[in-house]
Amino acid sequence: MLLYFFITGFSFILFLNSLPLKPLPLWATEFRLLSLWFWKHSSIFSISASIKNTFKFSIIPSVNNMALTSKLDHFAGESCGGMSVLDLPELVLECILEKLPPSGLCSMAGVCSSLRDRCMSDHLWEKHMKQKWGRIIGPAAYRQWQWHMATRKDSTNLKQGKQKLWMKLFSIVQFLSWFRPKVEDSYNQKSSNSLPVHSIMSWYLALESGRFWFPAQVYNRENGHIGFMLSCYDAELSYDPRTGSFQARYPPHGRKVVAIEHGVPWERLRAPPNDTTPHDLHISDCLNELHPGDHIEIQWRRNKEFPYGWWYGVVGHLESCDGNENFCRCHNSDTVVLEFNQYAPGSRWRKTMIDRKDHREEGNEADGFYGGIRKLRSEEEISTWKRLWPEEVLE
């Protein structure tokens, strides 16, 4: 048998040598050598490592799939002898994660359980939260988030308790003692794969997706309606990631339905400057230090059923004062003049006066009611109001 194979193979080689074959071109020779080198240096683990790396960095996982196991990662990494990201020094890895944007942190969190814990750390997400949401998120929004999470947790516990009760009843009736532990293990595993409800990452993603409505204030509400120029009103806001703008839901005025405004830009939003609710009178603590020329915000509402809005104005001079700084004594008077220069001279909205020592809500059904006052001490706040100044004087 071996002799037959040798004679047949030798005859076939002589036949090939007799053929007038042309030499292969240079590119074909190089490709053949490249193919030989590829198959020589390839192995099952190197191929699996390549697939692993492609899966790591080319696919952005969803939030619900962040808890991928790292057993296959470590097995492939140890077998091929390569260095993984987790082999980097702790400080270097931390610096890399701090440079990643939110989308990058979400991607890295889907690689393995170790990176998941690192990428979900609060100190990494605090920077992103402050950079994007810090200007419009205040203590009121944080309290709203805590209440939202507490309600969600209670609902989850109630649902889990009902599921366990039904499982117990089902197991007793059907005598399937093996069924209940499997179901509970699956449920616990699913719960462990979700985000910690009180993490900053979960709050950031809830804001980014628009699922969470939070309290803030809107300048020039209802697309700059003339009746709200140079005012700032409380609203519930929801972010629209498709347009990069917000939807505002204003509290009802009297018997009117809730007003909703779409497409509110970032520059018309701010966090509430204090904890005063829209229907409560703000306690003024700056009356004794008000001087002509100071910039202020004052609460105003149309009638007792309406919520307050904050309106921009400046402290003016008394009629008996000529405005000369060297002789002005307006700051010693019990009467404070407030001017709203966006209105034309002679308009009933142009000027009002308050009592410095005993100021409370003042006004009537015709001119509205003026409430608490806060002095503007920040140049940023003042410049924001000036940027929103109407192009024409209001009547």
Side-chain angles (χ1 to χ4, degrees):
M1 183 67 181
L2 182 61
L3 179 61
Y4 174 78
F5 178 76
F6 176 76
I7 294 173
T8 305
F10 184 74
S11 301
F12 182 72
I13 293 173
L14 292 177
F15 172 73
L16 290 178
N17 290 333
S18 64
L19 293 177
L21 298 176
K22 295 181 180 181
L24 292 174
L26 181 61
W27 65 268
T29 305
E30 293 177 352
F31 181 79
R32 182 177 62 183
L33 294 176
L34 181 61
S35 301
L36 293 175
W37 180 89
F38 173 78
W39 288 108
K40 179 181 178 181
H41 293 276
S42 297
S43 65
I44 295 176
F45 293 117
S46 61
I47 293 174
S48 65
S50 300
I51 296 174
K52 170 180 70 76
N53 292 333
T54 303
F55 177 77
K56 280 184 182 180
F57 300 105
S58 63
I59 300 177
I60 298 177
S62 62
V63 176
N64 294 329
N65 296 326
M66 282 184 178
L68 297 176
T69 179
S70 61
K71 293 183 179 179
L72 179 60
D73 298 343
H74 290 296
F75 178 70
E78 292 175 359
S79 301
C80 66
M83 179 177 180
S84 68
V85 177
L86 296 177
D87 295 327
L88 294 173
E90 191 71 22
L91 182 59
V92 175
L93 179 58
E94 191 71 19
C95 291
I96 292 175
L97 296 180
E98 288 179 353
K99 298 294 183 181
L100 292 179
S103 59
L105 286 175
C106 290
S107 299
M108 291 293 288
V111 173
C112 64
S113 58
S114 180
L115 284 176
R116 176 181 183 269
D117 295 336
R118 286 180 168 88
C119 293
M120 292 174 57
S121 176
D122 282 350
H123 83 275
L124 290 177
W125 287 91
E126 283 177 356
K127 179 186 68 173
H128 298 298
M129 176 66 76
K130 184 177 181 180
Q131 287 179 349
K132 184 166 185 177
W133 300 97
R135 191 176 61 83
I136 63 176
I137 293 293
Y142 181 74
R143 289 194 298 269
Q144 183 76 7
W145 170 253
Q146 294 293 317
W147 178 84
H148 174 74
M149 287 294 96
T151 304
R152 179 181 173 184
K153 183 177 180 181
D154 293 341
S155 177
T156 301
N157 292 337
L158 179 62
K159 182 179 179 180
Q160 184 178 0
K162 290 182 178 179
Q163 287 181 348
K164 290 183 178 181
L165 177 61
W166 280 108
M167 285 301 170
K168 290 180 180 179
L169 295 175
F170 186 75
S171 63
I172 293 174
V173 174
Q174 299 295 333
F175 299 99
L176 297 177
S177 59
W178 54 270
F179 186 71
R180 175 186 161 205
K182 290 184 178 180
V183 173
E184 290 182 349
D185 290 344
S186 175
Y187 182 82
N188 292 334
Q189 183 178 1
K190 182 178 179 182
S191 299
S192 64
N193 292 343
S194 60
L195 287 172
V197 294
H198 293 290
S199 68
I200 298 179
M201 179 182 181
S202 63
W203 189 16
Y204 183 98
L205 296 179
L207 290 169
E208 188 75 19
S209 64
R211 299 192 308 269
F212 175 62
W213 290 76
F214 62 95
Q217 292 182 346
V218 183
Y219 294 99
N220 295 353
R221 58 173 286 180
E222 298 182 24
N223 297 312
H225 187 279
I226 190 172
F228 297 103
M229 294 299 294
L230 289 191
S231 69
C232 196
Y233 276 79
D234 289 84
E236 292 282 329
L237 298 176
S238 173
Y239 182 65
D240 186 353
R242 297 170 300 175
T243 62
S245 59
F246 293 83
Q247 180 179 203
R249 192 166 56 193
Y250 301 102
H253 284 190
R255 298 179 180 178
K256 293 184 178 181
V257 298
V258 176
I260 299 178
E261 180 181 354
H262 300 276
V264 181
W266 287 82
E267 54 268 20
R268 285 178 50 205
L269 302 178
R270 75 174 184 182
N274 49 57
D275 288 335
T276 306
T277 66
H279 290 275
D280 292 334
L281 179 68
H282 174 69
I283 304 302
S284 307
D285 56 357
C286 62
L287 297 179
N288 292 329
E289 55 181 297
L290 292 180
H291 289 69
D294 287 343
H295 301 263
I296 57 96
E297 292 178 7
I298 186 170
Q299 289 178 310
W300 183 87
R301 58 181 174 179
R302 185 66 179 175
N303 57 48
K304 297 286 187 177
E305 296 182 354
F306 279 39
Y308 283 113
W310 290 96
W311 294 74
Y312 171 73
V314 294
V315 179
H317 293 273
L318 298 170
E319 293 183 358
S320 58
C321 179
D322 59 1
N324 190 321
E325 295 182 358
N326 297 325
F327 300 99
C328 177
R329 295 293 181 268
C330 295
H331 59 278
N332 294 327
S333 173
D334 292 342
T335 301
V336 180
V337 178
L338 303 179
E339 296 181 348
F340 307 94
N341 296 324
Q342 64 269 33
Y343 294 98
S347 171
R348 61 175 178 168
W349 312 110
R350 172 82 178 196
K351 183 183 298 185
T352 190
M353 291 180 289
I354 63 171
D355 189 341
R356 189 189 298 269
K357 292 185 176 181
D358 189 26
H359 171 64
R360 300 183 181 276
E361 186 180 61
E362 300 176 7
N364 52 61
E365 294 291 337
D367 298 332
F369 295 87
Y370 295 90
I373 299 174
R374 58 180 297 262
K375 180 180 178 180
L376 301 183
R377 308 177 189 275
S378 169
E379 289 296 331
E380 182 179 357
E381 284 187 299
I382 298 173
S383 62
T384 299
W385 284 113
K386 290 182 177 180
R387 177 174 50 82
L388 297 170
W389 198 269
E391 297 180 356
E392 298 180 358
V393 178
L394 306 178
E395 296 296 333

